[in-house]
Amino acid sequence: MKLYSLLVWGLVAPLQPTGEPLVGSTAVEASSLVQETRIPWTAETVEHLFNRAGFGARPKEIERALRMAPEEVVENLLKGGRFVEPPYYEQGSMQDYDLPEGVSRQEQRRAKAIRSKNDRAQLKLYTEWWIDRMVEGDDPLRDRMTLFWHGLFATAHSTVKRSYDMIEQHRKLRKGALGNYGELLNGIVKDPAMILYLDNDKNKKSAPNENLARELMELFSLGEGQYTEQDIKEVARALTGEFRDKLGNYRFSKKDHDGGTKVILGERGKFKAREVVGILLRQTACSRYIAGRLLIYFEGVKPDELRLTEYAGFLARSKYELKPFLNKLLLDPRFYREEALAARVASPVDYFVGSTRRLDLDLDSQFLYLAAADLGQELFDPPSVKGWDEGEAWIHTGSLLGRGNTMGLMLGTIHLEDTFLPLGEEVDPLAERGPARKPEPRGSREASMEDDMQDSMEDSMGDSMGETMEDGDSMQSTSEAMATRTKIPKEFAELVRALGKSYRPSLNLSHRLNRAKIATDLQVVEVMLDSLLAITPPADTHQRVLTYFTGERVAAGLTEDAFLSQPEVAEDILRRLAHLILSLPEAQLL
Amino acid sequence: MNRRSFLSSGLAMVGGSRLLSAGTRPWPFAQSSNERTLVVLELRGGNDGLSTLVPYGDDEYYKLRKGTAWKPETLHKVDEYRGFHKDLTEVSKRFNKGEVAVFQGIGYPNPNKSHFKSREIWHTADLRGRAGNDGWLGRLCEQRFPDSTLPELSIHIGNEEPYSLQSSTHPPVIFRSPDTYRWLGDGDAEASLDATERGGKGSTLDRLRRVMTNAKSSSARILDVLQRYETPVEYPTHESSRSMRAAAALIHAGMGSRVISATFRGFDTHADQRFDHSNALGILDNALQGFLADLERSQAGRETLVLVTSEFGRRAQENGSRGTDHGKAGVALALGTPVKGGLFGEHPSLTELDNGDLAYNLDFRRLYATALEWMGADAAGILGAKYDSLPFV
């Protein structure tokens, strides 16, 4: 975002008569933290900070930050904002309480289904609360770091099946998100959800289970290849007896714990979980691994060896305290270097929550949850203990089109009923054809395949046409296409339900532009591109978007100078313009 | 909503092309195709070989697997020593007809028991993992079809890009469901979504632009084929089976996809393995039943080789949670009309273990080399060394 569009989008007064970016305020120059290079403090770099340390910025937040020094902004991020109480949740939602004697199997199954439904509902409520926190931006860096830890200490509800455990773990991560990594690691080793997820509730002296031990070293602390298979076996022994009780509390079972001597990474002793964590924290590999994960997560670029060593050393010296580390990183001019700006592919949560904030949309958080989940980032259900593969792995042909389609639902520019059967009339014409044909003997079938298939195709078109004709009145000459409409795919149906049947986006783009006296096609396109993208798009993209916009305006019969004179027409075009821009490859970079 | 722009564009793209073609164009069966297709199905999590091809004739098996063993009478017996898991009914049936190759004791030197590392090794055929190399199937596309610009040359049906298909020059098309794999917005906007120009900021944007171009062109073709597809073969409703149905449709249509991949989940059976593993194998067997029968209906289908792989096998000794921990050597399968069935490799010894794990005796790169040669590629060029092929095709 540039200052120019900030003036329009945020509808603020100019900060400087020239409109030039502010480089190095007095406070910046006075700072001892920034010596050789100053942080270029512009709308663009402020937006970068908010994209990485939070979930994007609302226009007014950029304007506010520009009036402060970088140190002050980062200090506020580290200090955090208001605390919002999570919704009430309870332990017993999925408790394995015993049903009375003689209850039939059917009733047991029913009881289990009800418990499981309640359990999901409880987690859903909590997830929505978390997404609301991201959208509201009460404490953006804390929520950014919570998401980081959720990906690093990945635990999936689909395996754990206990919302209470998942919520407790999340609260632990969120509370400690900016605290001390060592404390977090100690917490996660004894975390009931993690114990269930990685089978440590079955890790006994008599029969060790290595699942937690392996991932503790490979994914949570040291990184692959920094230990031996023997180390894993020894750590598994040290973790024996670390259980979870039936209700979801941590429980240490002395009789299942192997109290013997272990040799772990060269150290020898009768270690338990806490000592194991101590050993891990003393490894150089540990500070390197965590510093590396943080650097790449925040910068989107792999750090060079010198930088990694510097940050890993800093992390170890500050005893894994996270605030000094983040303070150093976010005030490091290199964090704002050209290479790191908009170099990170937005995760689905970044993309949907960030767009909601940039557009100032008011959306049901259930929608944002489902949207991100469909595109590969389901909160509380990462695909594996390795968490999510970040970066370019988010984008492939299916997910890129999917992001655009979901954005269209958010902006109200996609009308699924024009392509699919409306919700509630989920009659699949293809399914109305009667039972599938039984296979015929090979050979005979093949010879007649083509005619046969063609016939059946024509049959089916005929059959289903009558059904859908009645609601196809406004679509003359497309009734044949209507005949092949299928029901709304499940993913979309869920999204539409989450939006609500009478959803209208809380947007007034035409008003925003009108108030700012934006008049020419070029101005409209530049303001829209600049406010919705984190990068300055290449010239050809700029040109294509401009051509699209002019084409739509002309098709609507509006002249350039009177574009905003018919807000209802202009608004529709502007929303479709926003949809196009947010669906571009450029919009995937933050 | 601007009706005009939708009608003039959205429908024309999505429904319209079908509208024109439905009555006039032939059913999408390739007239004749001698082109071969390789299908790779990955069992994610590390499939337990000893519960897949069960060495019921070995007393040691019952000693190692007190809580997870299968009794001889439950199995589909292969010989006096081995039997297929009870839920591999179709695989067993086809094996008995000589149509399934089973690779026993498959693995690689210095096995890595991390899911992620071992998966990288299988996907890249490089013992260093993802050392900056493209995936083995990506390299197949690069070498065998250097001039192809067809985006759907390689396809993954699922939600996540597998490393195996990664290619800097031939990136795969990925979709989960054909119904959602298309642009549903304003059709005029669709035309503006992608650029032919490259050279935006860094190479990431170039790659993203290319993904968009590929998505637009492939989605129209794939939707067209899949929406018109009919088959007398009945598939189960499970998502994996629907993926296999889509794969069969694409192969029959002869749209030029040479490599297709899909994933089956649920094989990381650290606890309560008997139930979970049976379930996972059952889903695989059901999907294969439909898929293999469907493939037999066309020449292109009969020129399709199906491989089933997993990142590692599991520990010989069960773990006390009625499950098994990560191990080394495992089992792989090859199926389809081109396959000459039989057992390959030795069944790994249950007494001479590699630090508690089954030792590999068959390098998975021999399986790959055979498949690559069958695809007409120079296997050594792709795998970086010469591996003896196996006589299963």
Side-chain angles (χ1 to χ4, degrees), chain A residues 1 6 43 46-47 57-66:
Chain A
M1 175 151 336
L6 194 60
V46 168
E47 193 183 14
R58 293 181 195 271
K60 283 178 183 158
E61 292 171 333
I62 298 181
E63 184 246 329
R64 212 177 302 135
L66 273 171

Side-chain angles (χ1 to χ4, degrees), chain B residues 242-290:
Chain B
R242 276 187 283 131
S243 300
M244 299 320 297
R245 186 182 187 276
L250 297 171
I251 292 167
H252 287 319
M255 61 191 302
S257 303
R258 299 277 68 91
V259 176
I260 297 178
S261 127
T263 304
F264 289 73
R265 290 177 184 274
F267 291 88
D268 193 17
T269 47
H270 284 279
D272 301 322
Q273 165 166 317
R274 276 168 62 100
F275 180 82
D276 290 349
H277 189 248
S278 301
N279 196 23
L281 281 184
I283 288 168
L284 171 71
D285 194 74
N286 286 339
L288 283 172
Q289 183 179 8

Side-chain angles (χ1 to χ4, degrees), chain A residues 392 433 484 541 544 576, chain B residues 18 186 192 207 209 230:
Chain A
E392 282 185 44
R433 252 180 246 173
T484 58
T541 300
R544 275 182 289 115
R576 285 187 287 118
Chain B
R18 282 174 25 230
D186 176 340
S192 307
R207 285 190 290 274
R209 285 179 161 205
E230 267 202 349

Side-chain angles (χ1 to χ4, degrees), chain A residues 308-324:
Chain A
L308 177 60
T309 309
E310 176 193 333
Y311 273 84
F314 183 84
L315 189 62
R317 281 196 303 282
S318 49
K319 308 234 179 305
Y320 292 100
E321 282 296 322
L322 295 160
K323 277 190 181 176

